[in-house]
Amino acid sequence: AHAAEWFESAVRTMRELAAVGSLTAALRSQIAVDVLLDVWARAPVPGVADGPLSLADALTVTDLVEHFLRPLQLPAPEGQVVHATANGPSVLVGLTAKWQAGTPVLLSEHGVYLRERLLGVRRDGHGRAVRAVLVRFFHRLTELGYRNADAVLPVSGFNARWAVEGGAAPERVRVLHNGVDPGAPAVPDGEPAE
């Protein structure tokens, strides 16, 4: 829980920074790169890379993290509830409203954002060090969404298990299966005519 609380505090601080300055400039600054290099040097990821994080890898990570945190720069939506249809960056929009005005956040998932990002990290062609940082970032980002959503509404039990494993309180997870209209047109039994 300590790492999750630290991450939430850091994201809230970045939200405050975005309200008074450029979050993009801050996350792409030399200071951000230096902090990342320092953190890596103090706590390297075992088995991922020997020695320091390369400057190229640090620049890649800071660019990607800035991209995924861009929703923190948007104005908080107004309303009685915010509905995010996926975890990750989209839920950050809802969390800004929750942090600013106490607006409840509903998080529904038709897929599993974390699973999709983990598969994507494998395909993106980045080196092991960048992948290691991104995997940890996506775990924390989705955990933030699950921990702070007032209700998590996955479409299947499979997705619900990912949500609970990812940090959602089980009592806030309710499976809402996709509806199928029994009166809908029948599935065609042949190929359409050209």
Side-chain angles (χ1 to χ4, degrees), residues 70-116:
R70 282 184 191 167
L72 295 173
Q73 300 177 96
L74 298 172
E78 295 180 17
Q80 294 181 2
V81 67
V82 175
H83 175 211
T85 59
N87 205 334
S90 66
V91 81
L92 289 174
V93 176
L95 293 181
T96 62
K98 182 173 186 151
W99 296 334
Q100 183 174 314
T103 307
V105 175
L106 301 180
L107 169 59
S108 64
E109 286 192 298
H110 292 265
V112 177
Y113 180 81
L114 177 59
R115 183 174 181 269
E116 293 164 9

Side-chain angles (χ1 to χ4, degrees), residues 1-11 140 143-144 147:
H2 177 69
E5 292 164 0
W6 176 89
F7 186 81
E8 180 174 346
S9 176
V11 171
R140 291 287 171 234
E143 181 181 43
L144 176 69
R147 285 172 47 111

